[in-house]
Amino acid sequence: MAILAVLVLLGIRACQSTQGPPLRPWHTIVPVELSANAIRKSNWPAYVEAEKRMFDSLHLRLQSEMEPSDRTPLNRYHDGSLASPGAFERDWNRSYVLEPSGAASGVAVLVHGLTDSPYSMRSLAELYRQHGLVAIVPRMPGHGTVPAGLTREGRKEWEAAVEMAMAEARRRSADCLPVQLVGYSNGAALAMLHVMRRIESGLPGDVDRVVLISPMVEVNRFARYAGLAGLPAIFGRYAKSAWLDVLPEYNPFKYNSFPIRAARESYLVTADLQAAMETVARQGRMAQVPPVLAFQSVVDDTVTADGVMTRLFDKLPANGSELVLFDVNRKRILDPMLRSSATGLPSKALQTSSRSYTLTLVGAVSGDDPAVVARSRLPGAHALQVQATGLNYPNDVYSLSHVALPFPANDPLYGNVPSGRRVIQFGTIAVRGERNTLVVSQDSLSRLSYNPFYEYMAVRIVAQMPLAGTGRQKVSESRCGIAL
């Protein structure tokens, strides 16, 4: 009976895949990238050079296979469009390094998220550079090119790319300067997985502090079985069943179309992370985990704040880690429109004093005052610490979102401060009309794309950076090989 039900569902899935817009070249052309084994044997210069060759080849093929109807003002693959990466000062889809103006006080490796690109780490990388650290931002294989890239590349290649970037960080730090590992969304899971893999393998730690943005430590349960939904794709007529979404590509640095395999691979990253954490715990080595500072919206359509607490932070040792939660807008007029699941968690979480990490809630205290404060409960503390931020909760924002956190309001792509450039800017989009008319969801266009509290987050991250000229004081003696 169960087999029959599965066959019926697969039949329905196959029929559904024949509807909607056809696949375009960016859905069918699969770039050839280095294998996971080749990446591990490579180094940063070789990886960047292979990346350049791949991008050049892909661009030529796309231009030859696109039809006139594909050359629209909002197609990222049409040179000269408002969504073209060429409209920016550099193609942020590619791996890059930002160098400080003087001697480096440390090194930071920043790992972007699923369907994203190195652009999403642009502002944070610049923050690290400005404060004297070398910022290394690798492009995860399958990203920054065409959505079809994620039908081939997956977690093994992503893990290898993180390892390769961390090897470059160790080289630049000479195993003496502090190294920070920063991860956003799926990149956060990859960052923690790198840390846990080294510990469980008995390798010396190569990270002094971890910073996580919207950490994807769990995903929707559907992702576990997503591969089944793509089975009809083995027959050419049902090729679109391999995709959860087939949409116009109007974002220069992030895919809108989403292949099923990417969901499955992302789930497997989180599963691998949980397994690695369990292994490290059994080995009695959790004390080797470096301090973790994470930022998370209390409402997140990708990963729940409760999941971040229970599946990650509650398992960490008492090592000075901190989870910062961005609250919803408590304005009275909005309160009746918010689901109780969005408003209940924050106050309940702050009541617990038995955690081994600091929990901080950033938001307004009451519905009558938009002033945002940071309320923190330190491990074992009975009283809350309250600190003013100097920020107000924007009237037109009811919550942050999973994708918003790494982008300041003046981001030229995602911010709401007009950039003056001839490019699309998602934070300023306001489209109105009848529902069920657009090929993209109205929710996706109205989803908050920037962080109104980015300044607070930046201050907190900077406070954890090594000071110029004093990097060695924060590195263990075993790492540096000198007396501190």
Side-chain angles (χ1 to χ4, degrees):
M1 192 68 181
I3 295 176
L4 178 60
V6 171
L7 291 175
V8 170
L9 291 175
L10 289 177
I12 294 174
R13 174 67 180 166
C15 292
Q16 289 176 337
S17 70
T18 62
Q19 303 172 14
L23 297 178
R24 305 308 307 139
W26 44 91
H27 298 119
T28 58
I29 298 175
V30 181
V32 178
E33 300 206 42
L34 296 177
S35 67
N37 189 47
I39 294 172
R40 287 191 173 91
K41 294 180 179 179
S42 183
N43 56 28
W44 182 264
Y47 183 79
V48 171
E49 179 57 32
E51 184 180 77
K52 180 182 182 302
R53 292 195 301 268
M54 181 267 295
F55 268 93
D56 291 345
S57 174
L58 175 63
H59 181 263
L60 290 174
R61 188 172 174 187
L62 276 173
Q63 299 312 304
S64 66
E65 295 194 20
M66 283 199 305
E67 299 177 359
S69 59
D70 294 324
R71 303 184 187 280
T72 69
L74 288 182
N75 184 356
R76 67 179 281 182
Y77 300 112
H78 171 42
D79 294 343
S81 76
L82 295 174
S84 170
F88 292 75
E89 66 273 16
R90 67 187 296 174
D91 185 354
W92 296 100
N93 283 307
R94 308 188 186 199
S95 304
Y96 59 88
V97 176
L98 299 185
E99 306 273 3
S101 57
S105 59
V107 183
V109 173
L110 300 95
V111 186
H112 65 78
L114 185 67
T115 75
D116 232 306
S117 73
Y119 179 88
S120 62
M121 310 309 289
R122 168 182 167 274
S123 294
L124 290 173
E126 178 61 21
L127 185 70
Y128 276 95
R129 186 200 69 78
Q130 289 176 354
H131 288 82
L133 283 80
V134 176
I136 301 172
V137 188
R139 180 191 61 87
M140 295 296 100
H143 294 77
T145 54
V146 288
L150 289 178
T151 64
R152 172 179 172 175
E153 311 301 331
R155 69 192 191 283
K156 297 302 182 184
E157 290 77 24
W158 304 338
E159 290 176 36
V162 173
E163 291 176 18
M164 179 274 303
M166 287 302 300
E168 176 68 4
R170 292 193 296 272
R171 184 189 71 81
R172 285 174 172 264
S173 72
D175 283 332
C176 194
L177 292 177
V179 175
Q180 295 199 4
L181 182 53
V182 185
Y184 165 47
S185 189
N186 191 62
L190 289 169
M192 287 303 303
L193 183 58
H194 171 82
V195 170
M196 294 298 172
R197 289 268 201 242
R198 289 187 69 87
I199 295 175
E200 71 174 343
S201 300
L203 295 172
D206 60 355
V207 178
D208 297 285
R209 182 172 292 275
V210 180
V211 177
L212 307 178
I213 314 293
S214 299
M216 191 187 291
V217 294
E218 66 172 2
V219 293
N220 190 298
R221 290 183 179 180
F222 166 77
R224 183 173 186 175
Y225 306 102
L228 294 175
L231 286 179
I234 61 177
F235 303 103
R237 181 182 179 186
Y238 307 117
K240 282 200 300 181
S241 66
W243 296 80
L244 290 174
D245 290 306
V246 176
L247 297 170
E249 296 299 324
Y250 55 83
N251 189 321
F253 302 117
K254 183 179 178 66
Y255 303 147
N256 295 318
S257 301
F258 194 80
I260 283 177
R261 187 174 186 275
R264 172 70 177 167
E265 289 297 295
S266 180
Y267 162 76
L268 290 174
V269 170
T270 65
D272 289 347
L273 173 58
Q274 294 302 315
M277 291 180 68
E278 291 172 3
T279 299
V280 171
R282 285 197 303 270
Q283 293 173 340
R285 296 177 176 177
M286 285 298 287
Q288 298 179 31
V289 178
V292 178
L293 172 64
F295 300 89
Q296 170 74 26
S297 173
V298 297
V299 287
D300 187 317
D301 195 46
T302 304
V303 57
T304 65
D306 185 64
V308 174
M309 287 190 283
T310 59
R311 299 182 69 82
L312 177 59
F313 272 81
D314 288 350
K315 299 179 180 181
L316 296 177
N319 62 358
S321 294
E322 180 177 0
L323 173 59
V324 178
L325 299 178
F326 293 108
D327 201 4
V328 297
N329 192 339
R330 298 280 172 175
K331 193 174 181 180
R332 286 189 184 279
I333 194 172
L334 286 174
D335 189 62
M337 303 174 68
L338 295 173
R339 296 178 179 176
S340 58
S341 58
T343 59
L345 173 68
S347 57
K348 179 182 178 182
L350 277 181
Q351 293 174 4
T352 303
S353 60
S354 59
R355 295 188 177 90
S356 61
Y357 57 90
T358 297
L359 182 67
T360 297
L361 181 65
V362 178
V365 176
S366 73
D368 298 318
D369 187 355
V372 171
V373 299
R375 290 174 287 167
S376 302
R377 187 179 289 280
L378 277 63
H382 296 292
L384 295 177
Q385 293 185 359
V386 181
Q387 180 182 17
T389 66
L391 302 171
N392 288 337
Y393 216 115
N395 287 327
D396 59 343
V397 173
Y398 58 84
S399 80
L400 272 65
S401 71
H402 179 83
V403 299
L405 268 59
F407 305 106
N410 64 355
D411 185 273
L413 179 61
Y414 295 109
N416 72 331
V417 177
S419 66
R421 304 185 186 192
R422 190 178 176 274
V423 296
I424 189 172
Q425 190 169 11
F426 297 105
T428 61
I429 290 178
V431 292
R432 295 177 176 85
E434 184 56 277
R435 59 186 178 184
N436 299 322
T437 301
L438 301 174
V439 294
V440 296
S441 71
Q442 290 171 293
D443 283 348
S444 66
L445 293 177
S446 62
R447 192 182 192 187
L448 187 68
S449 60
Y450 66 93
N451 184 356
F453 310 130
Y454 180 88
E455 293 177 30
Y456 169 83
M457 188 177 75
V459 168
R460 295 301 315 280
I461 292 175
V462 169
Q464 306 296 336
M465 294 182 187
L467 299 176
T470 61
R472 285 194 172 111
Q473 70 186 25
K474 294 190 177 182
V475 181
S476 67
E477 186 172 341
S478 63
R479 280 269 308 280
C480 199
I482 62 174
L484 302 182

